[in-house]
Amino acid sequence: MKKLLLFAVIAGIFSANQTFAFGDDPELDHECTSWMVFHDMTMNNTNILHKNRDDKARDVAVFISPEKSPRKWISIGTDIPTNMAINSSGLAGVMNSGEKCINPPLDNTKKRTPAMMRVIMESCDTAAQAVAKLRELHKAGDYWHARESGSIFFFLDLNEGYICEMTAKDFTVSSYKSGFAVRANIWQNPGMHQYSRNSIKGYLNSSARAYIAISGLAQMMDKDGKITLPGIFALSRTCRMPESSSEKVSVCFTRTNSTASLEIDRQYPDVLSCGYFTLGHPRHTIYLPVPICVEKVLPQMADFSASRAAWGRFDKLGFDAPIPENWLEFEKNAVKKYADTKAEARKLLDNGKRAEAVRLLNSTAAAIWDEAAAILK
């Protein structure tokens, strides 16, 4: 039955005469689309973990690990900060909702998934260790997701990545070392489909979003021979399917409250790794680089006011208003400026000048933030 359903999805996507007909509002209550890309496909030999976070929450901020944290980490999140995070060891992690399922993790006395991610960011150095820690928490029953669905955890480090798919009782893992891997909110690990109680609408919705991500990444390879950060940013803002499908179903939704591209530097992960974040709806704000070695961020990045301003623009202009050209030009130049600064910092690190490299990255990022704040007014 699952094979027949998958065939129907694929046939519907690629047939010019088929559409995704979900009615007036195709959006589900909670959706995310995430992907990992390995260094064999990136422009600068980095590994990248990206997530479009789709949720009703509008207050999103940048968080920095407390001073006494065992490992430095940066993240964006809401009331529990580590929804999408990267630490100084070069370990990145994000979580998607899984499918509606039997055995959903509904015990609200247990750890929520962002809290589980924080434990992992503070205790693990590699993706394999992250999987082991997640399995330990799961086996102990310390897992709450607050919905009638399981979870999909992504972990990526300098060399490899894993995707864990789980219900309250079931746990599976798939490993990756090259290319790219995509998930929306449906399970693909062997053995997980038997636990699904997903609707056809939910399955097709996630399949459509995964298709956009897979197609977009493949098109980048066709065009540039590599997957780039600006390409990922553009993909994350895609708000339309091809003409043969419902116009409202895509990677970017009215409820996409933030995005994160977590870039792992494989040589100096504790200094040159970086998170590129949108605080608020990605079509109504700019990606900002936040170095893993960041010392402080602008107050509006940390107190939710940047995301509130982005949602104010969303409410005024509408979901799919054109993105101002000067925003996109600034963003493109900011990515290049920060990349050039990383190249300078790498030379400093090669010569043992870590403190100078950290200062340089912090000052460059701060200048970009100040300019972005002026543009977004």
Side-chain angles (χ1 to χ4, degrees), residues 298-312:
L298 295 181
Q300 58 264 41
M301 295 167 67
D303 66 6
F304 306 116
S305 58
S307 67
R308 291 170 185 168
W311 282 107

Side-chain angles (χ1 to χ4, degrees), residues 46-123:
T46 59
N47 288 342
I48 299 172
L49 179 57
H50 178 89
K51 176 180 167 90
N52 269 35
R53 185 178 181 221
D54 306 329
D55 199 355
K56 294 177 181 178
R58 287 191 167 194
D59 285 348
V60 179
V62 175
F63 293 87
I64 303 172
S65 56
E67 187 174 340
K68 294 183 180 180
S69 175
R71 288 160 182 78
K72 176 75 177 290
W73 51 261
I74 58 172
S75 71
I76 53 174
T78 50
D79 54 332
I80 299 179
T82 44
N83 288 105
M84 302 109 101
I86 183 171
N87 73 14
S88 54
S89 299
L91 170 64
V94 302
M95 191 283 298
N96 288 7
S97 292
E99 300 193 44
K100 289 186 177 180
C101 62
I102 61 174
N103 303 325
L106 298 178
D107 185 347
N108 64 9
T109 66
K110 307 300 183 179
K111 281 187 178 65
R112 288 172 54 188
T113 49
M116 297 167 78
M117 187 68 74
R118 177 165 179 170
V119 169
I120 289 165
M121 285 294 117
E122 294 189 339
S123 63

Side-chain angles (χ1 to χ4, degrees), residues 267-338:
Q267 183 181 15
Y268 297 111
D270 63 324
V271 178
L272 298 183
S273 294
C274 183
Y276 294 85
F277 301 136
T278 62
L279 302 176
H281 197 277
R283 295 184 61 83
H284 292 275
T285 191
I286 294 172
Y287 273 89
L288 300 176
V290 179
I292 186 62
C293 59
V294 68
E295 294 167 351
K296 63 179 180 179
V297 298
L298 295 181
Q300 58 264 41
M301 295 167 67
D303 66 6
F304 306 116
S305 58
S307 67
R308 291 170 185 168
W311 282 107
R313 292 187 289 271
F314 176 99
D315 291 336
K316 180 180 179 181
L317 301 173
F319 162 54
D320 56 355
I323 304 170
E325 287 297 325
N326 65 315
W327 288 17
L328 297 175
E329 186 66 20
F330 172 82
E331 188 177 85
K332 177 182 175 182
N333 292 335
V335 170
K336 184 180 185 306
K337 180 178 181 180
Y338 191 74

Side-chain angles (χ1 to χ4, degrees), residues 30-284:
H30 185 73
E31 301 153 323
C32 296
T33 310
S34 303
W35 55 84
M36 61 174 69
V37 183
F38 287 87
H39 55 276
D40 57 322
M41 288 193 163
T42 63
M43 191 70 75
N44 51 5
N45 196 39
T46 59
N47 288 342
I48 299 172
L49 179 57
H50 178 89
K51 176 180 167 90
N52 269 35
R53 185 178 181 221
D54 306 329
D55 199 355
K56 294 177 181 178
R58 287 191 167 194
D59 285 348
V60 179
V62 175
F63 293 87
I64 303 172
S65 56
E67 187 174 340
K68 294 183 180 180
S69 175
R71 288 160 182 78
K72 176 75 177 290
W73 51 261
I74 58 172
S75 71
I76 53 174
T78 50
D79 54 332
I80 299 179
T82 44
N83 288 105
M84 302 109 101
I86 183 171
N87 73 14
S88 54
S89 299
L91 170 64
V94 302
M95 191 283 298
N96 288 7
S97 292
E99 300 193 44
K100 289 186 177 180
C101 62
I102 61 174
N103 303 325
L106 298 178
D107 185 347
N108 64 9
T109 66
K110 307 300 183 179
K111 281 187 178 65
R112 288 172 54 188
T113 49
M116 297 167 78
M117 187 68 74
R118 177 165 179 170
V119 169
I120 289 165
M121 285 294 117
E122 294 189 339
S123 63
C124 300
D125 297 312
T126 68
Q129 290 173 3
V131 172
K133 177 58 70 172
L134 181 64
R135 193 189 293 274
E136 177 186 314
L137 294 169
H138 181 267
K139 186 175 181 179
D142 202 6
Y143 166 38
W144 172 42
H145 186 35
R147 289 178 175 86
E148 293 182 1
S149 62
S151 301
I152 306 172
F153 280 82
F154 293 66
F155 299 115
L156 183 64
D157 63 22
L158 282 64
N159 300 306
E160 61 182 354
Y162 296 87
I163 297 179
C164 303
E165 298 176 357
M166 51 200 273
T167 74
K169 294 184 178 180
D170 311 288
F171 190 101
T172 65
V173 184
S174 291
S175 62
Y176 303 84
K177 291 193 175 181
S178 63
F180 60 78
V182 177
R183 292 287 192 281
N185 299 114
I186 50 177
W187 289 318
Q188 296 181 33
N189 286 357
M192 286 303 293
H193 292 309
Q194 62 186 307
Y195 307 115
S196 173
R197 295 298 179 266
N198 204 352
S199 66
I200 292 176
K201 173 182 174 179
Y203 198 96
L204 292 176
N205 183 295
S206 284
S207 297
R209 287 180 286 119
Y211 165 75
I212 280 288
I214 293 167
S215 178
L217 293 169
Q219 287 175 27
M220 275 183 250
M221 293 296 295
D222 287 343
K223 179 182 177 183
D224 302 320
K226 294 289 182 179
I227 292 170
T228 65
L229 283 168
I232 289 175
F233 299 168
L235 175 58
S236 75
R237 291 174 169 134
T238 303
C239 62
R240 290 288 182 267
M241 281 288 281
E243 292 181 1
S244 61
S245 297
S246 167
E247 290 187 349
K248 291 185 177 181
V249 179
S250 193
V251 171
C252 187
F253 281 86
T254 60
R255 296 192 188 104
T256 303
N257 70 5
S258 56
T259 63
S261 287
L262 305 169
E263 185 182 43
I264 302 167
D265 188 89
R266 300 174 65 236
Q267 183 181 15
Y268 297 111
D270 63 324
V271 178
L272 298 183
S273 294
C274 183
Y276 294 85
F277 301 136
T278 62
L279 302 176
H281 197 277
R283 295 184 61 83
H284 292 275

